[in-house]
Amino acid sequence: MRVPPGVSPRDFSEALKKFEGAIGKEWVFTSDDDINTYRDSYSPFWHEAEEPIPSAAVAPDNVEQVQQIVRIAGAHKIPLWTISTGKNLGYGGSAPLLGGSVVLDLKRMNRVIEVNDKNHYALVEPGVSYFDLYHYIHDRGLKVWIDPPDPGWGSLVGNALERGGGYTPMRDHFDCHCGMEVVLANGELVRTGMGALPNSKTWQQYKYGFGPYVDGIFSQSNLGVVTKMGFWLLPEPEAFLSGNVVVGKHDDLFAMVEIFANLMNSGIVLATTTVVSPLAYGPDPELAALRANGSTKDLEDYAARKKIGYWSVSLPFYGPADVVAAQWEYAKRKFSAIPGVRFEDRASYRFPLNDDQLAKIVNPVPFGVPSLQTFSIGGPRSQGHMWFSPIIPMTGEAILEAQKVFDQVAKDLSLSGGSVGGFPVWNFFARAFVIIYFFPIEHDVEKNRKNREVFRRLIKTAAEHGWGEYRTHTAFMGDIMDAYSFNNHSLLRLHETMKDALDPNGILSPGKNGIWPKGMRKARA
Ligand SMILES: Cc1cc2nc3c(=O)[nH]c(=O)nc-3n(C[C@H](O)[C@H](O)[C@H](O)COP(=O)(O)OP(=O)(O)OC[C@H]3O[C@@H](n4cnc5c(N)ncnc54)[C@H](O)[C@@H]3O)c2cc1C
């Protein structure tokens, strides 16, 4: 039997018995077969002793059972690792950061408590997946959209707590939450925002309540177990329109991004897109040779000859049909300041889509429809992946600097994938870009070791340039938190102060985002 670190087998057996008493024997999992289902199938530690494997898993059905579990864990100093649906692939899956932790699996708590299509919100439990909520809404013909991330099998709660992103104007999932219910490490139940007011009528309509706004301390954190969460939904839009902006010269990027940022910050473009270089991809050997050895002028000439442009950005608009048409016209007027710019009309839809229309859409996710088709990106190329995802300024200069810096690291360390525009930039969040760079995972110890080294080097290089990651795999949480070091790590020290006050036994997700309980902290350099 695996046991949590620092816990004797006898004590652990006693705690497991108490867990069984609290939630039923069938919901306490200790067999190897069961535990294997909680391992990270994209682990960068495959076949290595360092892979963090849980000692057990417990799956409560309701808030009272969660309270009992944390109280038992507190009494026996058992580390818990909370998951909602545990589909956090690319960032650790359902596995804990600390091997031997007991996974607190909230999948069974999958009740949709309310969906309101007059004020456009939902209140859900952690085990509700995007598919679950979509079907709930669809079955009742409610006129609201959810905003799924690429894979729809994850939970709204887990995704938002990790500050994940989607595609519609509700794309910043933590920003679009409104109100939480949280079990603290001592078993106390707290409701945030207007939820603190008994019989509140606006828990999902007004975020802040009264007094300090604490919701943020429960995201990417280990200070509580979130048992309910409210989300703002998008009223079903009348129409969608997208148009592509293509520019021909390398230096057009500066004006293109400046105009794009203006459109975003003015609320004209509100949905997710990416600035790309059509030159970054494609099997043409001539292009591959130019990418390797050609000059900027050669690439510009190639782009002109092939009519593909040097840079492009596709603009998505959601709303009334005449409004989205006017927004596209306005965007074209702004981009026309760039000599030689070209515009391409792309998709145009009226909602609701019927089944035939939906079946023809390759990726329905930007239309509020959850899907799993994204997994085609992992299959043939690797046995999994993780992402390196730094936040960079929303400027052309920053894109070029990041490309240059990361391309160099990629070349130095013979990492595949680095090339002009090979580190795509996204606008998942307002006001800044995020690079989402795909890192392969193999069932090969040497390759994974090398990739981990490259990853750590990228974190350091990014920090030297003033860029920090927004989220990461459990394997690198400590490295990234280390980089956020202003004033002798004062932010981390604040997190640790809160950790010590709220979770003195250190039972909730030890090490999450680099925050360790007192007894497990390493000396800082
Ligand atoms: C091919 C592919 C594409 C992807 N695309 C996207 C994308 O477009 N956008 C995106 O955001 N992500 C994306 N992901 C990452 C990931 O799959 C999703 O973010 C997924 O929704 C996270 O899994 P989950 O919802 O099951 O969260 P969980 O695994 O349940 O939770 C994630 C983490 O949040 C914390 N947590 C969860 N629940 C609680 C709780 N109740 N209380 C306290 N802490 C909690 C825990 O630390 C947990 O490890 C992608 C992954 C893959 C493999």
Side-chain angles (χ1 to χ4, degrees):
M1 179 173 72
R2 244 183 220 100
V3 293
V7 179
S8 70
R10 204 167 128 211
D11 232 22
F12 191 46
S13 296
E14 208 180 300
L16 289 174
K17 286 235 157 54
K18 289 188 192 165
F19 287 145
E20 288 174 3
I23 64 173
K25 201 171 167 36
E26 68 272 41
W27 301 112
V28 177
F29 304 106
T30 52
S31 75
D32 284 349
D33 280 353
D34 285 334
I35 296 302
N36 277 340
T37 64
Y38 290 99
R39 288 170 67 178
D40 177 10
S41 44
Y42 289 4
S43 174
F45 297 106
W46 268 107
H47 306 307
E48 290 184 67
E50 279 170 82
E51 185 195 339
I53 299 176
S55 55
V58 290
D61 175 57
N62 56 51
V63 179
E64 292 72 26
Q65 292 186 356
V66 173
Q67 290 175 290
Q68 288 186 60
I69 287 168
V70 295
R71 286 187 178 123
I72 296 164
H76 291 269
K77 300 205 170 35
I78 309 276
L80 299 171
W81 180 264
T82 309
I83 58 168
S84 285
T85 42
K87 303 285 196 243
N88 203 15
L89 290 169
Y91 297 110
S94 46
L97 184 147
L98 178 69
S101 299
V102 172
V103 175
L104 174 53
D105 179 352
L106 304 179
K107 247 186 241 102
R108 290 175 67 214
M109 294 173 60
N110 60 355
R111 298 162 193 97
V112 175
I113 296 158
E114 186 185 359
V115 174
N116 181 310
D117 71 345
K118 304 291 178 287
N119 283 154
H120 316 107
Y121 64 79
L123 178 65
V124 297
E125 289 189 332
V128 172
S129 72
Y130 289 93
F131 282 114
D132 294 335
L133 187 58
Y134 175 79
H135 289 305
Y136 182 101
I137 290 169
H138 200 248
D139 291 352
R140 288 161 182 77
L142 302 173
K143 297 289 174 201
V144 281
W145 277 19
I146 60 168
D147 183 277
D150 276 324
W153 61 0
S155 61
L156 284 90
V157 171
N159 184 283
L161 290 177
E162 282 296 87
R163 303 202 283 260
Y167 289 88
T168 77
M170 316 305 279
R171 69 199 192 286
D172 180 340
H173 292 165
F174 189 71
D175 193 43
C176 285
H177 97 276
C178 189
M180 288 181 180
E181 180 185 84
V182 189
V183 173
L184 301 180
N186 62 1
E188 177 104 85
L189 191 65
V190 174
R191 286 187 174 176
T192 68
M194 299 309 283
L197 188 76
N199 299 317
S200 165
K201 300 286 188 289
T202 54
W203 191 16
Q204 274 60 65
Q205 282 130 300
Y206 179 68
K207 289 183 182 189
Y208 305 124
F210 189 73
Y213 178 64
V214 296
D215 291 41
I217 67 168
F218 298 109
S219 72
Q220 292 197 0
S221 95
N222 48 14
L223 298 178
V225 178
V226 176
T227 47
K228 286 186 187 66
M229 209 160 157
F231 291 94
W232 287 347
L233 303 174
L234 186 69
E236 181 181 79
E238 186 180 283
F240 171 87
L241 182 74
S242 73
N244 200 35
V245 180
V246 185
V247 295
K249 305 279 180 217
H250 174 271
D251 286 358
D252 289 340
L253 181 68
F254 305 119
M256 190 176 92
V257 175
E258 192 177 325
I259 296 164
F260 175 73
N262 186 294
L263 292 172
M264 277 202 63
N265 299 347
S266 309
I268 309 289
V269 175
L270 285 174
T272 296
T273 186
T274 175
V275 174
V276 295
S277 173
L279 298 169
Y281 309 100
D284 181 358
E286 184 191 350
L287 178 56
L290 288 177
R291 274 202 301 257
N293 298 311
S295 66
T296 298
K297 176 80 174 59
D298 294 335
L299 284 162
E300 285 177 349
D301 290 347
Y302 179 93
R305 240 186 313 126
K306 302 282 179 180
K307 297 191 173 51
I308 56 173
Y310 204 106
W311 302 100
S312 70
V313 62
S314 166
L315 305 179
F317 303 102
Y318 297 77
D322 42 357
V323 173
V324 295
Q327 285 172 319
W328 178 217
E329 283 312 310
Y330 178 75
K332 286 199 266 192
R333 184 144 52 88
K334 295 294 260 185
F335 283 110
S336 293
I338 304 173
V341 65
R342 250 183 331 105
F343 302 110
E344 298 164 349
D345 291 334
R346 287 268 173 98
S348 166
Y349 297 106
R350 287 291 191 120
F351 301 111
L353 298 172
N354 62 37
D355 290 347
D356 276 354
Q357 286 173 303
L358 255 181
K360 285 189 195 123
I361 293 175
V362 181
N363 178 16
V365 174
F367 308 113
V369 182
S371 155
L372 290 177
Q373 62 90 25
T374 184
F375 283 97
S376 55
I377 68 169
R381 282 200 278 164
S382 65
Q383 284 150 319
H385 61 266
M386 50 191 184
W387 284 285
F388 172 65
S389 35
I391 300 281
I392 65 165
M394 194 173 275
T395 63
E397 287 81 355
I399 293 177
L400 291 182
E401 189 187 348
Q403 297 288 357
K404 198 169 139 206
V405 167
F406 295 132
D407 276 1
Q408 194 52 52
V409 179
K411 272 189 202 126
D412 288 354
L413 297 164
S414 335
L415 175 70
S416 60
S419 68
V420 51
F423 290 87
V425 292
W426 296 79
N427 66 329
F428 275 120
F429 311 105
R431 310 269 163 164
F433 280 134
V434 57
I435 292 179
I436 309 267
Y437 185 71
F438 175 101
F439 247 84
I441 297 285
E442 314 277 348
H443 290 193
D444 176 317
V445 172
E446 274 322 304
K447 280 189 187 158
N448 287 339
R449 273 197 189 135
K450 172 147 190 244
N451 273 337
R452 297 200 304 264
E453 186 195 310
V454 176
F455 204 106
R456 295 204 161 95
R457 166 90 177 268
L458 286 173
I459 295 167
K460 283 215 162 78
T461 308
E464 282 157 20
H465 286 80
W467 308 316
E469 291 67 45
Y470 94 99
R471 175 182 183 184
T472 199
H473 191 283
T474 44
F476 306 103
M477 286 179 172
D479 300 271
I480 291 177
M481 188 49 99
D482 253 5
Y484 282 76
S485 63
F486 169 76
N487 190 20
N488 188 24
H489 304 269
S490 55
L491 180 62
L492 175 56
R493 286 185 284 114
L494 172 63
H495 292 317
E496 290 172 346
T497 304
M498 290 194 279
K499 181 75 181 161
D500 295 343
L502 290 177
D503 182 13
N505 291 317
I507 55 162
L508 296 182
S509 304
K512 169 89 180 142
N513 284 73
I515 305 162
W516 289 94
K518 208 174 217 147
M520 295 184 181
R521 268 169 222 155
K522 293 190 196 87
R524 267 188 286 279

